[in-house]
Amino acid sequence: MRFVLVTTNKGKASEFSEIFREYGFNFRIEPMATPEIQEDDLRKIARYSVLYAYKVLREPVLVEDAGLFIKALNGFPGPYSSYVYETIGVEGILKLMEGVVRRDARFESALAFYSPLTELKIFTGAVEGSISEEPRGRGGFGFDPIFIPDGSVKTFAEMSLEEKNRFSHRARAARKFAEWFKTLKTLPPIYQD
């Protein structure tokens, strides 16, 4: 079965492409923006976006929403991470974290897939970590320069794509999706490779 990965984020597209190549999936990337509802639950945002994308594209579609949840900031920016990144950026988050000793944080991903033959499916992934004292690294995107996943001394921005995909929330959700998706064998020819 083919599917469409909908994202305007080139970094996300690269991360997903790397993982889906491991599974030999036939997919294309559609750089289409979807409306993002104001909601505290990533799964609800992803659900709304994937159904919107399906109405436009009319083919099996995959959409992801993700967020950085900082414990000392009561989970902020959470599902508003993209907006917060665009408005105050990495430096703004570090300013909010000045003087904070406990710097626990978590990245979460909600990956939604829709096809009329499978109905809506949501796959989640999370990675625990901490916020660095300063930005480090030139790779990745968004808040990657300040997030250090548990089990590493590097920020996501200091890692290669392959290394980040061993740790990341997005990779965990993508692999759950991939394991489920590869079991789909009884679809009509229109949806086959």
Side-chain angles (χ1 to χ4, degrees), residues 161-173:
L161 179 62
E162 296 79 17
E163 190 175 7
K164 182 180 177 188
N165 277 346
R166 285 197 300 268
F167 285 98
S168 89
H169 53 301
R170 184 167 298 109
R172 290 175 183 185

Side-chain angles (χ1 to χ4, degrees), residues 151-167:
S152 178
V153 296
K154 295 179 180 179
T155 66
F156 275 166
E158 293 175 300
M159 296 179 180
S160 67
L161 179 62
E162 296 79 17
E163 190 175 7
K164 182 180 177 188
N165 277 346
R166 285 197 300 268
F167 285 98

Side-chain angles (χ1 to χ4, degrees), residues 25-51:
F25 289 163
N26 183 5
F27 68 99
R28 71 180 173 81
I29 297 168
E30 179 68 40
M32 178 179 89
T34 59
E36 191 167 304
I37 60 171
Q38 296 301 302
E39 175 61 57
D40 291 333
D41 186 335
L42 293 174
R43 293 172 303 230
K44 290 180 181 177
I45 297 167
R47 179 185 188 281
Y48 184 88
S49 294
V50 79
L51 293 175

Side-chain angles (χ1 to χ4, degrees), residues 1-183:
M1 180 187 343
R2 296 181 299 261
F3 64 90
V4 180
L5 171 63
V6 174
T7 183
T8 58
N9 184 315
K10 291 179 182 178
K12 283 185 183 186
S14 294
E15 291 176 23
F16 282 123
S17 293
E18 181 76 21
I19 291 165
F20 294 155
R21 268 195 292 274
E22 295 172 20
Y23 290 87
F25 289 163
N26 183 5
F27 68 99
R28 71 180 173 81
I29 297 168
E30 179 68 40
M32 178 179 89
T34 59
E36 191 167 304
I37 60 171
Q38 296 301 302
E39 175 61 57
D40 291 333
D41 186 335
L42 293 174
R43 293 172 303 230
K44 290 180 181 177
I45 297 167
R47 179 185 188 281
Y48 184 88
S49 294
V50 79
L51 293 175
Y52 173 88
Y54 178 78
K55 284 179 186 175
V56 173
L57 299 172
R58 294 307 216 194
E59 52 190 316
V61 64
L62 186 67
V63 174
E64 189 234 20
D65 196 54
L68 174 63
F69 296 77
I70 302 172
K71 190 171 186 177
L73 302 178
N74 295 321
F76 182 80
Y80 310 103
S81 293
S82 179
Y83 175 75
V84 170
Y85 179 76
E86 291 171 12
T87 55
I88 67 172
V90 168
E91 293 300 330
I93 291 294
L94 290 177
K95 183 115 178 104
L96 292 173
M97 294 292 289
E98 281 180 3
V100 175
V101 177
R102 296 283 317 220
R103 302 177 76 81
D104 301 343
R106 180 178 71 257
F107 257 126
E108 293 182 10
S109 170
L111 193 55
F113 176 79
Y114 182 78
S115 160
L117 299 173
T118 62
E119 299 304 323
L120 179 73
K121 297 285 185 184
I122 296 180
F123 304 87
T124 59
V127 61
E128 301 291 332
S130 61
I131 301 299
S132 63
E133 296 284 342
E134 61 187 17
R136 299 188 339 231
R138 297 185 184 275
F141 58 93
F143 292 116
D144 285 358
I146 59 170
F147 184 79
I148 305 167
D150 286 352
S152 178
V153 296
K154 295 179 180 179
T155 66
F156 275 166
E158 293 175 300
M159 296 179 180
S160 67
L161 179 62
E162 296 79 17
E163 190 175 7
K164 182 180 177 188
N165 277 346
R166 285 197 300 268
F167 285 98
S168 89
H169 53 301
R170 184 167 298 109
R172 290 175 183 185
R175 286 194 172 89
K176 287 178 186 176
F177 162 76
E179 290 299 322
W180 169 79
F181 191 78
K182 74 180 186 177
T183 67

